Amino acid sequence: MKVTYSEMIEQFTRVLGLYGIVGEDAALSAKLFADASLEGVYTHGLNRFPKFIASIKNGSVDVTKRAVLSESLGVMERWDGQQGPGNLNAWACMQRAISLAKEHTVGVVALKNTNHWMRPGNYGHLACENDCIGILWTNTVPNMPAWGGTEAKLGNNPLVVSIPSANGPILLDIAMSMFSYGKLEKYKREGVSCPVDAGFDENGNISRDPAAVLKTHEVFPIGYWKGSGLSLVLDLIAATLSGGCTTREVGTFPTETKLSQIFIAIHLGSLSDREEIEAKIQATLTDLQASATRSDSVKVHYPGQGMQQKRKEQMENGILVDEGIWKGVLEA
Amino acid sequence: MKVTYSEMIEQFTRVLGLYGIVGEDAALSAKLFADASLEGVYTHGLNRFPKFIASIKNGSVDVTKRAVLSESLGVMERWDGQQGPGNLNAWACMQRAISLAKEHTVGVVALKNTNHWMRPGNYGHLACENDCIGILWTNTVPNMPAWGGTEAKLGNNPLVVSIPSANGPILLDIAMSMFSYGKLEKYKREGVSCPVDAGFDENGNISRDPAAVLKTHEVFPIGYWKGSGLSLVLDLIAATLSGGCTTREVGTFPTETKLSQIFIAIHLGSLSDREEIEAKIQATLTDLQASATRSDSVKVHYPGQGMQQKRKEQMENGILVDEGIWKGVLEA
């Protein structure tokens, strides 16, 4: 089933209103959810919407609160999300980092006490629309063992890096775990193996069997010990710069809340050779896509490339939706 | 065979003098090489020293040149390495990023036209000694296929993140390839398999056989498609912010030179809650090390933890050296 972009925004806006998010905030939040689905990130668009409503109902998200400035330190600011809606908080902080970057070339906002930011690629887009490189990450609840361990001590701490480019942003959006639990569940439902090693089974053997890894919850960090270390430092930087909770502390709450996030913007428009920069980026992307591959049916893509095509196609033909979830929104 | 730290510095200083690096520069360069070996990063300490001398001889490194400021943009500066010694250039740029951070909380230096920075953990240490978080990376010659491709189009672009901590820095130092060619060669010599999947063999099958992957040069990025994307954005950010060469451009030169690097410092001393930050870090490190493991003989470590112990041990008992390489230094 397909739904138009405008219909999706309209319905999200209506439902958000029922839960106390109204006016411009509702329009923005609805757009952010719809944009995720529009670009094919269904898990963080429509499919996430009911979970967001649930987090309002269970008290994790306080719809009356928004992120506010708590400390200004040169080109870095600390903001307090006050457990308001995570997507609105993240949007405001990315906006602020961009404003700082337009003034000082670089801007950093560290946000504490926020909630799940839904689809972070949206804030990467925002940076690029403002001719900024965006580097942003969040910590999460503990959901991944550190390398060598069997207990979830680390978060999967998604990281987004976005770079403006003439043909739409280069948009990297990666969690520090090789596969999310959602992806493992999907492979299990479909009865297929993971394409690469996913974690340890209950005997401590490396496994691609999604069911076996779901049983142990011993998912692999990307690059094993390397991603384990990367997850740790992302968490510590987010929590220390914001003055907020570490992944360890987040794990002590009944639900995933009071997250810490970092938003870095670097303004390319401040640079004297902006045109040469664009040429440099295009030359690399062209070279990358021209890479030899093992088969004619395989092409090398750069991060974000597919999203541009998906956005265009679904804007024209409607956005693919899960009928049950969409029906739930219509009936809310 | 073991050599004292001071003897190693003395000999490096003497040999550097023969090639035109003298005075404080020689002392610093020698110390940086010795520190790498001291902390157990032998590949980038003594073992790298003869390659550094070779790069002076082949003209990649111009010993008469040093990095100079080329453009100042708020809290970001662009420096031109003028193909001078990579370790001295990197040290100067990290120093400058730290100075900017002490003034504005955040400082960024983008360096172009530089050479291999030898062991980057040294610059991470420098940040921590100045109570700064350090985030730094370099691009490299193309040495890794993009995900889906078979040709080396990406660099392994090492990334360092360092965070000050009471018991010595948390120091993450990771290349974007799962295993370096040096590591693959080592496994091959020892006749062992790689501990995890390392790349594709000539039939396009995933392989842990170091010889098979050395044959194809199709090494895996960390996290497969994820590390492939991360390598790309690190390269593009380094080259665009510095105005220097991309990995693609570096690949057009006869040797690996004219690299682009980024040095970011964030001054924790500027934050009002410096003590709480330390407590937060220690609580996470303690929790991590207390993680359950599959066997009593396995412990979870954090990045940089082992280096502290190695430094202490080798400072007391001498630094383990490859006799042949050390003899070469003595006879130079």
Side-chain angles (χ1 to χ4, degrees), chain A residues 71 73 75 78 104-105 148-151 153 175 177 197 204 218 226 244 270-273 280 287 291-294, chain B residues 71 73 75 78 104-105 148-151 153 175 177 197 204 218 226 244 270-273 280 287 292-294:
Chain A
E71 198 175 357
L73 302 144
V75 300
R78 299 174 121 181
H104 308 285
T105 308
T150 54
E151 276 177 291
K153 292 288 188 186
S177 57
D197 293 338
E218 292 179 40
K226 294 188 177 190
S270 298
L271 302 182
S272 56
D273 55 347
K280 209 181 283 288
D287 182 52
S291 175
T293 62
R294 204 165 289 284
Chain B
E71 198 175 357
L73 302 145
V75 300
R78 298 175 123 179
H104 309 284
T105 307
T150 53
E151 274 177 292
K153 292 287 190 187
S177 56
D197 294 338
E218 293 179 38
K226 294 187 178 190
S270 299
L271 303 181
S272 55
D273 55 346
K280 209 182 283 285
D287 182 52
T293 61
R294 204 166 288 283

Side-chain angles (χ1 to χ4, degrees), chain B residues 163-298:
Chain B
I163 302 175
S165 146
N167 303 315
I170 300 163
L171 186 68
L172 180 76
D173 178 353
I174 55 171
M176 293 301 117
S177 56
M178 195 57 235
F179 297 105
S180 67
Y181 288 110
K183 190 58 78 73
L184 293 175
E185 292 283 3
K186 182 171 175 283
Y187 289 137
K188 187 182 163 191
R189 273 198 311 274
E190 294 170 355
V192 297
S193 285
C194 300
V196 294
D197 294 338
F200 290 112
D201 68 16
E202 59 187 336
N203 299 314
N205 295 317
I206 289 177
S207 178
R208 291 186 193 179
D209 175 358
V213 177
L214 282 166
K215 201 165 173 183
T216 62
H217 281 70
E218 293 179 38
V219 295
F220 281 150
I222 62 167
Y224 311 92
W225 48 92
K226 294 187 178 190
S228 176
L230 199 47
S231 165
L232 173 70
V233 297
L234 291 177
D235 173 39
L236 289 178
I237 294 175
T240 61
L241 294 188
S242 70
C245 293
T246 55
T247 281
R248 184 189 68 77
E249 291 171 293
V250 172
T252 64
F253 308 134
T255 60
E256 187 188 58
T257 187
K258 296 193 190 178
L259 300 172
S260 300
Q261 299 174 346
I262 298 290
F263 302 86
I264 301 174
I266 306 173
H267 187 224
L268 292 183
S270 299
L271 303 181
S272 55
D273 55 346
R274 186 63 187 88
E275 281 181 33
E276 288 92 326
I277 287 175
E278 185 58 43
K280 209 182 283 285
I281 291 171
Q282 290 311 319
T284 285
L285 296 184
T286 301
D287 182 52
L288 203 72
Q289 294 171 82
S291 175
T293 61
R294 204 166 288 283
S295 134
D296 286 348
S297 65
V298 175

Side-chain angles (χ1 to χ4, degrees), chain A:
Chain A
M1 184 187 172
K2 288 183 176 177
V3 171
T4 66
Y5 180 64
S6 59
E7 165 78 356
M8 195 175 266
I9 289 180
E10 195 180 308
Q11 289 298 329
F12 286 157
T13 307
R14 180 184 63 77
V15 177
L16 289 166
L18 302 175
Y19 291 91
I21 300 179
V22 296
E24 285 182 11
D25 283 348
L28 173 59
S29 181
K31 180 181 181 304
L32 292 172
F33 277 109
D35 280 348
S37 280
L38 183 67
E39 297 192 351
V41 191
Y42 306 110
T43 50
H44 290 64
L46 169 63
N47 300 5
R48 185 93 210 175
F49 191 77
K51 291 182 197 164
F52 176 68
I53 298 299
S55 68
I56 297 174
K57 287 184 186 169
N58 75 21
S60 296
V61 172
D62 182 345
V63 296
T64 69
K65 297 288 172 51
R66 296 292 179 274
V68 291
L69 177 69
S70 57
E71 198 175 357
S72 186
L73 302 144
V75 300
M76 189 177 104
E77 290 183 355
R78 299 174 121 181
W79 285 60
D80 183 343
Q82 303 191 98
Q83 290 187 257
N87 57 355
L88 297 179
N89 283 351
W91 185 265
C93 289
M94 190 75 243
Q95 282 275 24
R96 184 59 195 144
I98 291 164
S99 296
L100 287 165
K102 285 185 175 174
E103 202 175 340
H104 308 285
T105 308
V106 180
V108 179
V109 172
L111 172 65
K112 70 175 175 182
N113 291 336
T114 194
N115 281 297
H116 194 300
W117 61 7
M118 309 294 127
R119 186 237 176 168
N122 289 327
Y123 321 118
H125 272 304
L126 180 63
C128 291
E129 284 160 13
N130 285 277
D131 205 18
C132 287
I133 288 171
I135 306 174
L136 43 144
W137 67 88
T138 185
N139 64 8
T140 66
V141 75
N143 55 20
M144 182 171 82
W147 187 249
T150 54
E151 276 177 291
K153 292 288 188 186
L154 298 173
N156 65 354
N157 303 349
L159 167 72
V160 167
V161 182
S162 65
I163 302 175
S165 146
N167 303 315
I170 300 163
L171 186 69
L172 181 76
D173 179 353
I174 55 171
M176 293 301 117
S177 57
M178 196 58 236
F179 297 105
S180 66
Y181 288 109
K183 189 58 77 74
L184 292 176
E185 292 283 5
K186 182 170 175 282
Y187 289 137
K188 186 183 163 192
R189 274 198 310 274
E190 295 170 354
V192 297
S193 284
C194 300
V196 294
D197 293 338
F200 289 112
D201 67 17
E202 58 188 338
N203 299 314
N205 296 316
I206 290 178
S207 178
R208 290 186 195 180
D209 175 0
V213 177
L214 282 166
K215 203 166 173 183
T216 61
H217 280 70
E218 292 179 40
V219 295
F220 281 152
I222 62 169
Y224 311 93
W225 49 93
K226 294 188 177 190
S228 176
L230 199 49
S231 165
L232 174 69
V233 297
L234 291 177
D235 174 39
L236 290 180
I237 294 175
T240 60
L241 294 188
S242 71
C245 293
T246 54
T247 281
R248 185 189 67 79
E249 292 171 293
V250 171
T252 64
F253 309 133
T255 60
E256 187 188 60
T257 188
K258 296 193 190 177
L259 300 173
S260 301
Q261 299 176 345
I262 297 289
F263 301 87
I264 301 173
I266 305 172
H267 187 225
L268 292 183
S270 298
L271 302 182
S272 56
D273 55 347
R274 186 64 187 88
E275 281 181 34
E276 288 91 327
I277 287 175
E278 184 58 42
K280 209 181 283 288
I281 292 171
Q282 289 313 317
T284 286
L285 297 184
T286 301
D287 182 52
L288 203 72
Q289 294 171 83
S291 175
T293 62
R294 204 165 289 284
S295 132
D296 286 349
S297 65
V298 175
K299 294 276 174 214
V300 170
H301 296 285
Y302 62 85
Q305 189 178 357
M307 289 177 191
Q308 296 301 318
Q309 293 161 355
K310 184 62 88 176
R311 165 180 274 271
K312 192 165 172 288
E313 178 210 316
Q314 297 208 111
M315 191 62 98
E316 281 170 16
N317 306 322
I319 301 167
L320 190 70
V321 299
D322 177 296
E323 282 194 48
I325 299 175
W326 180 243
K327 196 161 166 248
V329 171
L330 291 179
E331 291 171 357

